[in-house]
């Protein structure tokens, strides 16, 4: 089939996505449960066997490289031993440049068909993606399946559907007729074409390689921009699987497979800066630490940059009607994937006078003890703890934990656990450190990992001031407030809107501040230093294309 045929084949999926973007309620195209009934009774076993069989071997990809590269190590304690084609910047750029005409001439409908078919095939491979994500990022298996598979696919579909909606606003043509009084009107026929911006560079991160890369990849592909996918050196496999599928679909549709390329590299010989500085690169998508995001701003000004950087996510706890639910919810938010998420809370603000509960005021000391107890309960069973925590992805996380211990009074130590299946995995439970709100130099920076600061504010007003002041200055993706006071919640919502951060109020059940749902939640806003774009709104896709027109006399 070609792209337009795939468009018709998957039209119902696209229509569902478009309707969901307008309604902003719950909708998902891809089932999130790792169920054999949905994905095939042998899908899990087959994917595990395929993962094991691929260890220690070259990854089969139809890109001709000058040698190979790859040194991934599973956070669960073993080397993957997989190598990938090593491509230099010049070759990648030249290949992408040749692919530009192929994607541009295909047109929006065919490109959307390609995107929809790629996503459908990736969905069928969700178990394969899960093992790749698990053993490159350290996520627990269920999380790796959901976040790396269906949730990432939903984000890719969201970006493609948003791009389609923006491109569809451009008509193919128009008849222009200007009245001239008693004289015949002026007549012109006008034609409009969506013109891609240029070559895209999608820079993957180490913790969520598919979830954070798919929006860029599918926004670019839908709008006709060939894309070089540059994974983190320790999280290549999930994006290699993705690129392999994308190249296959492009080829089957008669399009240049170099519309999507993998740019694998090594930490000792990085490729990202060489690519980013090339003037041919028109679009850069980046998720990661602030230092490289700032480097891109200074050194890649020729490109349009979409960057998600560090944030100081905050929770203000003023009062609650459900203390048990609050502690259970907050404990899970802190423990999930060992805090290695851009949405995990870090700064927990409580008034010095305490948090009001149905049983009376709870002092900061009592609050800290209760939260520590909730974490102990959550992580008391080793098997459950291992699945919730996952494994530590980078030694830098351990170094940050050591630093945080020296910055205040530990309320709860981040302790080591032994994984029941992978004894060489590095597991740590959340560390909570108590400090005074005046010490902004401590908490006004991101401490990525299982680290939280219990910050004692002068009063409830100071708690809001410090929380949202820090977000305005340093950025955040998420914020949360617990209060039984409607006026206090309203003020918090106004403050959150002012600094451009997603706010959650009084979460005590099965929805957590860490979670961001495609088609409903805007992930980041672009309004504070944590990110300059949102996943996914029109501003994320519209800069990726322009409109060219031609005009002439109306044919007679």
């Amino acid at each position: 089939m070609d792209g337009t045929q795939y468009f018709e084949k998957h039209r119902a999926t696209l229509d569902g996505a478009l309707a969901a973007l307008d309604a902003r309620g719950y909708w998902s195209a891809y089932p999130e449960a790792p169920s054999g009934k949905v994905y095939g009774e042998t899908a899990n076993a087959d994917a595990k066997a395929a993962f094991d069989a691929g260890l220690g071997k070259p990854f089969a990809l139809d890109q001709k490289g000058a040698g190979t590269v790859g040194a991934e190590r599973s956070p669960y304690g073993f080397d993957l031993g997989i190598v990938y084609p090593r491509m230099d910047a010049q070759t990648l750029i030249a290949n992408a440049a040749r692919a530009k005409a192929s994607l541009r001439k295909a047109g929006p409908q065919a490109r959307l068909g390609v995107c929809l078919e790629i996503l459908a095939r990736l969905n069928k491979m969700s178990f394969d993606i899960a093992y790749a994500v698990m053993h490159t990022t350290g996520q627990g298996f269920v999380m790796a399946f959901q976040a790396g598979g269906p949730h990432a696919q939903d984000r890719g579909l969201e970006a493609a559907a948003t791009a389609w909606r923006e491109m569809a606003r451009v008509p193919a043509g128009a008849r222009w007729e200007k009245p001239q009084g008693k004289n015949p009107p002026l007549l012109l026929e006008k034609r409009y074409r969506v013109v891609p911006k240029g070559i895209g560079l999608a820079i993957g991160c180490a913790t969520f390689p598919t979830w954070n890369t798919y929006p860029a990849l599918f926004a670019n592909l839908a709008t006709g921009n060939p894309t070089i996918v540059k994974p983190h050196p320790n999280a290549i496999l999930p994006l290699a699987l993705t690129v392999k599928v994308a190249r296959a679909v492009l080829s089957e549709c008669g399009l240049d497979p170099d519309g999507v390329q993998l740019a694998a590299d090594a930490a000792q010989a990085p490729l990202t800066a060489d690519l980013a500085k090339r003037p041919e690169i028109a679009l850069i998508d980046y998720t990661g630490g602030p230092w490289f995001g700032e480097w891109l701003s200074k050194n890649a000004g020729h490109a349009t940059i979409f960057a998600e950087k560090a944030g100081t996510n905050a929770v203000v706890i003023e009062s609650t009607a459900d203390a048990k639910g609050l502690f259970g919810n907050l404990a899970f938010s802190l423990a999930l994937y060992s805090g290695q998420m851009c949405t995990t809370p870090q700064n927990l603000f409580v008034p010095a006078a305490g948090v009001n509960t149905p049983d009376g005021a709870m002092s900061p000391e009592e609050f800290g003890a209760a939260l520590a107890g909730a974490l102990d309960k959550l992580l008391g069973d080793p098997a459950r703890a291992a699945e919730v925590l996952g494994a530590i992805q980078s030694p830098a996380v351990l170094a940050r934990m050591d630093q945080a211990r020296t910055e205040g009074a530990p309320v709860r130590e981040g302790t080591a656990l032994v994984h029941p299946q992978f004894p060489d995995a590095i597991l740590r439970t959340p560390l909570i450190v108590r400090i005074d709100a005046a010490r902004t130099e401590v908490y006004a920076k991101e401490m990525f990992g299982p680290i939280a600061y219990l910050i004692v504010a002068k009063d409830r007003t100071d708690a809001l001031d410090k929380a949202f002041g820090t977000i305005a200055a340093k950025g955040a993706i998420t914020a949360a407030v617990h209060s039984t006071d409607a006026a206090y919640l309203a003020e918090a919502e106004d403050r959150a809107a002012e600094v451009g951060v997603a706010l959650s109020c009084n979460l005590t059940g099965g929805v957590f501040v860490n979670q961001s749902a495609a088609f409903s939640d805007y992930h980041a806003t672009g309004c504070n230093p944590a990110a300059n774009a949102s996943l996914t709104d029109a501003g994320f896709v519209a800069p990726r294309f322009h409109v060219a027109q031609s005009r002439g006399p109306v044919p007679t």
Side-chain angles (χ1 to χ4, degrees):
M1 282 199 257
D2 62 22
T4 55
Q5 290 172 311
Y6 280 130
F7 181 89
E8 294 303 327
K9 175 184 176 181
H10 300 294
R11 184 61 191 257
T13 300
L14 177 59
D15 287 345
L18 292 169
L21 287 171
D22 289 334
R24 309 306 298 190
Y26 171 76
W27 187 80
S28 174
Y30 309 109
E32 69 174 2
S35 167
K37 293 181 179 180
V38 175
Y39 291 96
E41 295 299 338
T42 66
N44 191 353
D46 292 345
K48 178 62 167 61
F51 174 79
D52 290 340
L55 297 176
K57 297 176 182 176
F59 185 86
L61 187 66
D62 62 338
Q63 289 182 211
K64 295 180 180 179
T68 58
V69 65
E72 292 160 296
R73 180 173 176 79
S74 170
Y76 291 95
F78 59 91
D79 294 328
L80 271 59
I82 303 172
V83 294
Y84 307 86
R86 186 178 71 235
M87 312 281 288
D88 60 73
Q90 178 59 37
T91 301
L92 289 162
I93 294 288
N95 291 346
R98 285 194 299 270
K100 285 168 62 176
S102 175
L103 288 177
R104 176 177 56 79
K105 291 177 180 178
Q109 189 176 83
R111 294 195 298 263
L112 257 292
V114 167
C115 290
L116 294 167
E117 177 62 16
I118 293 170
L119 287 164
R121 295 189 191 185
L122 288 173
N123 180 246
K124 292 178 181 178
M125 293 172 55
S126 290
F127 278 101
D128 300 85
I129 298 289
Y131 283 106
V133 169
M134 175 182 178
H135 287 294
T136 54
T137 70
Q139 294 177 29
F141 177 75
V142 173
M143 184 177 185
F145 180 92
Q146 294 179 336
H151 293 176
Q153 294 149 18
D154 274 336
R155 279 299 189 194
L157 175 59
E158 179 185 47
T162 304
W164 171 255
R165 185 167 63 178
E166 293 306 307
M167 291 186 294
R169 298 180 191 275
V170 181
R175 180 187 175 99
W176 185 82
E177 183 171 340
K178 182 178 180 180
Q180 295 294 303
K182 296 180 179 180
N183 297 318
L186 297 177
L187 294 176
L188 288 176
E189 181 181 65
K190 299 187 178 184
R191 293 173 294 278
Y192 307 99
R193 295 186 187 185
V194 168
V195 179
K197 178 97 177 221
I199 300 171
L201 173 63
I203 304 169
C205 68
T207 49
F208 287 87
T210 56
W211 198 96
N212 274 318
T213 303
Y214 282 9
L217 173 59
F218 287 98
N220 278 346
L221 196 53
T223 53
N225 299 287
T227 301
I228 298 168
V229 177
K230 215 304 293 180
H232 188 280
N234 204 55
I236 302 172
L237 183 57
L239 292 177
L241 290 167
T242 301
V243 169
K244 185 174 182 177
V245 171
R247 291 175 65 85
V249 174
L250 285 167
S251 293
E252 291 169 23
C253 292
L255 302 175
D256 192 326
D258 285 335
V260 179
Q261 297 177 87
L262 183 74
D265 66 357
Q268 300 79 10
L271 190 57
T272 314
D274 290 342
L275 285 166
K277 288 189 294 185
R278 291 292 298 257
E280 299 93 336
I281 295 292
L283 299 157
I284 297 176
D285 288 85
Y286 169 73
T287 300
W291 71 270
F292 192 72
E294 292 165 5
W295 183 93
L296 286 171
S297 297
K298 294 176 182 177
N299 295 276
H302 55 277
T304 299
I305 300 172
F306 305 88
E308 180 186 316
K309 300 175 287 186
T312 54
N313 302 323
V315 182
V316 175
I317 308 100
E318 184 268 344
S319 58
T320 182
D322 181 6
K324 181 180 178 180
L326 183 158
F327 287 117
N329 186 282
L330 186 54
F332 188 83
S333 295
L334 295 174
L336 184 61
Y337 185 31
S338 300
Q340 298 169 118
M341 304 172 68
C342 63
T343 51
T344 299
Q346 173 183 296
N347 296 334
L348 315 178
F349 293 87
V350 296
V355 175
N356 293 320
T357 76
D359 297 321
M362 181 178 282
S363 70
E365 293 82 3
E366 292 170 329
F367 182 91
L371 179 57
L375 281 163
D376 292 342
K377 181 179 180 180
L378 172 67
L379 304 174
D381 176 71
R384 174 181 171 84
E387 186 62 30
V388 172
L389 292 170
I392 297 298
Q393 193 277 331
S394 168
V397 172
L398 302 179
R400 284 191 288 270
M401 293 182 75
D402 290 339
Q403 176 188 339
R405 286 187 183 93
T406 69
E407 294 175 326
V411 173
R412 185 186 189 281
E413 279 290 350
T415 55
L417 298 180
V418 177
H419 197 290
Q421 291 178 276
F422 302 98
D424 292 330
I426 299 175
L427 274 65
R428 294 291 186 275
T429 65
L431 167 70
I432 304 175
V433 177
R434 180 185 170 188
I435 60 173
D436 187 86
R439 298 185 62 194
T440 55
E441 78 282 358
V442 173
Y443 61 83
K445 61 181 182 296
E446 185 182 57
M447 294 290 280
F448 193 71
I451 301 163
Y453 294 108
L454 180 58
I455 303 166
V456 182
K458 289 186 294 184
D459 52 34
R460 70 179 203 162
T461 300
D462 186 48
L464 282 184
D465 289 344
K466 292 294 194 302
F468 291 109
T470 303
I471 290 171
K474 301 298 182 180
I477 303 293
T478 64
V481 173
H482 287 268
S483 179
T484 58
D485 184 336
Y488 192 77
L489 291 174
E491 182 182 357
E493 188 169 350
D494 285 344
R495 299 285 292 272
E498 183 181 350
V499 301
V501 67
L503 179 68
S504 297
C505 297
N506 292 331
L507 295 183
T508 57
V511 176
F512 305 94
V513 67
N514 318 53
Q515 297 170 324
S516 181
F519 306 104
S520 186
D521 293 323
Y522 292 98
H523 178 75
T525 63
C527 296
N528 69 60
N532 71 348
S534 176
L535 304 181
T536 305
D537 60 9
F540 184 71
V541 299
R544 299 173 194 265
F545 69 90
H546 301 291
V547 178
Q549 73 170 47
S550 61
R551 61 186 182 180
V554 175
T556 56

